């Protein structure tokens, strides 16, 4: 084998791929526009696969991997890109999945995000959540919001990530980025400490357990602007997930806290573009938007999350929109197929109703059509 891991990374970037997969017995695979594609390299032997993987790791990371058999880290190639790396064992041999991260943080405009995203990033305090399945561009959306603050306000921004994905250059703000496993033992430890580090803005890479969620809510309640992610597919499901993590006897209090601190939820997914033209990106962003109004705060407080969807439907004047409405508009514009739209909804009847309400070929939101989520 006469190539290095950097050669594979370069191919990922050149082909506009999002992920690189290394497995013994298979050639390296690249995910392009959501589809796995084999490279022209020959299948890797277990020894070759391990050599490629270990070339990215320092001694501490190798020791951790040998002890736990799993590892999250990041690896950068100067002048090319950074990659989020997960190493794991597969039938006794090492394998890895690498996610390509853009070296340049895209702006809100470049991503084609609606103006409400910018408006929410300008809030002085509260909890803002970006949710969606793995690979839906949550990190990219959050990065654009954090960088908007960095470009426009003098704030202390503190991020807690596992691993660090986008690297920010301080512009108007001071930015400290802490990586779980290197700079802090856990999300919860970093968040507890964060409240004593005079932050204005806190980014939590993932709200994954009760303690982290509780600390994030507390940080938002005490006057900080807090950003976080969850793997949920709708605004209502996001609220339920955050509440259900807690024991039953605490859930009423958590609903009250959440109703006071939650500012907005952006639930997003990426849909394959139908017949992309040369130079067009292969996937289109579809984003459900919930802005917490007094009425929605009341629904959260009273545990009536099943009514949140109706509140979003009627909240168009406040830039709220359901995922189904966005999918229907994209389908009518010819940007996505009917099958792709249906595969992304959990409300098939509602989507079919909206699709049937207008002719195919009407204009879809221009921003969503021109989204630059090219890889995720």
């Amino acid at each position: 084998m006469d190539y290095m891991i950097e050669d594979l990374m370069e191919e990922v970037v050149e082909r506009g791929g999002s992920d690189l997969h290394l497995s013994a017995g298979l050639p390296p695979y690249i995910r392009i526009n959501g589809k796995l594609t084999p490279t022209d390299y020959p299948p890797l032997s277990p020894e070759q696969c391990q050599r490629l993987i270990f070339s990215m790791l320092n001694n501490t990371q190798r020791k951790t991997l040998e002890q736990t058999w799993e590892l999250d880290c990041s690896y950068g190639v100067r002048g090319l890109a950074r990659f989020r790396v997960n190493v794991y064992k597969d039938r006794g041999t090492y394998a890895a999945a690498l996610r390509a991260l853009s070296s340049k943080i895209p702006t809100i405009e470049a991503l084609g995000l609606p103006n409400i995203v910018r408006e929410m990033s300008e809030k002085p305090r509260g909890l803002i959540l970006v949710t969606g399945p793995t690979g839906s561009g949550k990190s990219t959306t959050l990065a654009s919001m954090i960088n908007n603050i960095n470009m426009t306000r003098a704030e202390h921004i503190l991020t807690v990530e596992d691993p660090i994905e986008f690297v920010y250059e301080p512009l108007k703000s001071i930015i400290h980025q802490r990586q779980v496993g290197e700079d802090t033992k856990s999300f919860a430890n970093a968040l507890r400490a964060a409240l004593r580090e005079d932050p204005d803005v806190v980014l939590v890479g993932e709200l994954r357990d009760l303690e982290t969620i509780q600390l994030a809510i507390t940080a938002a309640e005490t006057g900080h602007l807090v950003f976080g992610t969850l793997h949920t597919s709708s605004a209502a499901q996001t609220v339920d997930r955050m509440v259900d993590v807690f024991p039953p006897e605490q859930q009423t209090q958590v609903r009250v806290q959440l109703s006071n601190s939650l500012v907005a939820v952006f639930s997003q997914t990426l849909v394959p573009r139908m017949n992309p033209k040369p130079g067009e990106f292969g996937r289109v962003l579809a984003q459900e938007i919930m802005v917490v109004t007094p009425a929605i705060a009341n629904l959260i407080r009273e545990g009536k999350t099943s009514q949140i969807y109706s509140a979003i439907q009627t909240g168009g004047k406040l830039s709220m929109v359901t995922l189904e409405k966005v999918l229907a508009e994209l389908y009518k514009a010819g940007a996505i197929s009917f099958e792709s739209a249906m595969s992304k909804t959990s409300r098939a009847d509602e989507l079919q109703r909206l699709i049937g309400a207008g002719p195919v070929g009407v204009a879809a939101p221009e921003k969503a059509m021109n989204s630059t989520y090219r890889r995720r």
Side-chain angles (χ1 to χ4, degrees), residues 7-299:
D7 297 316
L8 294 174
M9 290 176 168
E10 189 173 348
E11 183 166 341
V12 172
V13 173
E14 286 177 350
R15 296 176 66 181
S18 62
D19 300 86
L20 171 66
H21 290 268
L22 303 176
S23 309
L26 293 171
Y29 271 73
I30 298 174
R31 188 179 294 277
I32 303 171
N33 291 331
K35 294 181 179 179
L36 277 176
T37 308
T39 62
D40 293 331
Y41 293 94
L44 295 166
S45 69
E47 295 75 23
Q48 289 172 328
C49 193
Q50 181 169 325
R51 183 176 73 77
L52 285 171
I53 292 168
F54 275 46
S55 70
M56 297 182 284
L57 310 181
N58 59 35
N59 289 336
T60 302
Q61 290 166 338
R62 291 184 188 189
K63 187 176 179 181
T64 300
L65 177 61
E66 287 164 357
Q67 289 174 342
T68 64
W69 301 345
E70 291 164 332
L71 177 72
D72 280 312
C73 63
S74 57
Y75 186 78
V77 179
R78 188 177 294 277
L80 181 67
R82 296 180 71 254
F83 287 77
R84 186 177 72 198
V85 182
N86 178 267
V87 187
Y88 54 98
K89 276 207 159 185
D90 165 45
R91 293 170 296 168
T93 63
Y94 286 111
L98 290 74
R99 165 66 54 83
L101 306 170
S102 174
S103 56
K104 184 180 178 184
I105 300 172
T107 63
I108 289 173
E109 291 79 13
L111 290 177
L113 295 168
N115 289 333
I116 190 67
V117 174
R118 174 183 294 281
E119 291 173 23
M120 291 298 107
S121 72
E122 293 170 352
K123 294 284 185 181
R125 66 189 65 84
L127 179 62
I128 296 172
L129 301 174
V130 179
T131 76
T134 300
S136 59
K138 299 186 295 296
S139 299
T140 309
T141 295
L142 280 174
S144 72
M145 297 175 84
I146 292 292
N147 213 40
N148 181 60
I149 296 170
N150 182 27
M151 291 187 294
T152 57
R153 287 150 54 186
E155 307 277 28
H156 179 202
I157 301 171
L158 185 66
T159 78
V160 188
E161 302 169 76
D162 183 20
I164 289 171
E165 299 193 9
F166 292 92
V167 177
Y168 301 92
E169 231 179 85
L171 299 172
K172 286 193 172 183
S173 295
I174 301 172
I175 303 179
H176 289 108
Q177 294 184 259
R178 307 190 67 198
Q179 181 162 306
V180 175
E182 288 193 8
D183 306 309
T184 181
K185 296 288 186 183
S186 68
F187 281 109
N189 280 0
L191 271 176
R192 271 195 302 271
L195 298 181
R196 298 187 293 273
E197 291 161 5
D198 186 36
D200 300 293
V201 179
V202 180
L203 166 65
V204 189
E206 190 175 340
L207 298 170
R208 56 174 63 165
D209 56 47
L210 184 154
E211 190 174 11
T212 306
I213 291 172
Q214 179 65 72
L215 287 165
I217 293 172
T218 300
E221 280 188 313
T222 52
H224 304 85
L225 181 60
V226 181
F227 294 89
T229 69
L230 280 168
H231 290 96
T232 47
S233 57
S234 72
Q237 191 183 79
T238 301
V239 173
D240 285 337
R241 176 72 57 84
M242 293 191 75
V243 172
D244 290 346
V245 165
F246 291 84
E249 64 272 14
Q250 293 182 32
Q251 289 182 3
T252 300
Q253 177 61 28
V254 171
R255 284 194 195 97
V256 172
Q257 289 181 288
L258 205 53
S259 69
N260 292 329
S261 60
L262 190 62
V263 171
V265 177
F266 301 96
S267 297
Q268 61 185 58
T269 187
L270 292 175
V271 191
R273 185 186 294 274
M274 196 163 61
N275 303 321
K277 298 171 186 173
E280 273 191 331
F281 301 114
R283 290 190 283 176
V284 183
L285 174 70
Q287 191 180 57
E288 179 171 284
I289 299 171
M290 180 185 83
V291 178
V292 180
T293 61
I296 288 179
N298 196 48
L299 293 177

Side-chain angles (χ1 to χ4, degrees), residues 315-335:
K317 288 183 179 178
L318 298 172
S319 300
M320 288 194 257
V321 66
T322 64
L323 178 64
E324 284 66 36
K325 185 173 182 183
V326 175
L327 290 171
E329 288 173 341
L330 290 169
Y331 167 71
K332 290 175 185 178

